[in-house]
Amino acid sequence: MKFQEIVKIVKQDNIATGIYSMWFKSENMAKEAVPGQFVSVYCKEGSRILPRPISICEVDKEAGMLRIVYRVVGKGTEEFSKFNEGDDVKIVGPLGNGFELHEKTALLIAGGIGIPPMLQLAKELKKVEEQKIKEQTEKYNTL
């Protein structure tokens, strides 16, 4: 399910030259987001009407927050880089199908700005593996 919301920016950091990390509050999006999905971020400046698609890097379901990491490559993302904590921004998401999680060994390969969406995928794969180990441990403890 996708949502269109005006969200509050919780944190914005310049983490490398031209690369920014933004946390924003959206309990609805955080609850629904899966690894590999993205959000569409709208500019406030009226002449840029098309949203910018940005991959979801991290989800904190308990706090109802999402993190995106983006590179400044044009006027839209340059505008985003000037946003501050407490600012409001229009976002639509989560969008896309996301990654399918299988009970197989996963090999994560990414480069550049393609690395951020791998973070949430790695966390979810770790949860799947921990659940598998827990189930096997319980099975053997009952023997």
Side-chain angles (χ1 to χ4, degrees), residues 71 110-116:
R71 173 183 287 141
I113 207 66
I115 294 171

Side-chain angles (χ1 to χ4, degrees), residues 33-56:
V34 298
Q37 289 187 302
F38 66 97
V39 293
S40 287
V41 183
Y42 285 81
C43 297
K44 293 181 180 182
E45 202 281 304
S47 69
R48 294 185 280 280
I49 59 172
L50 294 176
R52 281 27 183 199
I54 301 176
S55 297
I56 297 170

Side-chain angles (χ1 to χ4, degrees), residues 43-91:
C43 297
K44 293 181 180 182
E45 202 281 304
S47 69
R48 294 185 280 280
I49 59 172
L50 294 176
R52 281 27 183 199
I54 301 176
S55 297
I56 297 170
C57 171
E58 200 169 358
V59 178
D60 183 339
K61 291 185 186 288
E62 290 179 16
M65 298 192 316
L66 290 97
R67 178 182 177 212
I68 57 175
V69 173
Y70 62 94
R71 173 183 287 141
V72 175
V73 292
K75 298 242 186 247
T77 49
E78 181 180 347
E79 179 184 324
F80 301 161
S81 73
K82 294 178 173 69
F83 290 166
N84 295 302
E85 179 181 324
D87 287 351
D88 292 329
V89 63
K90 180 180 173 183
I91 294 184

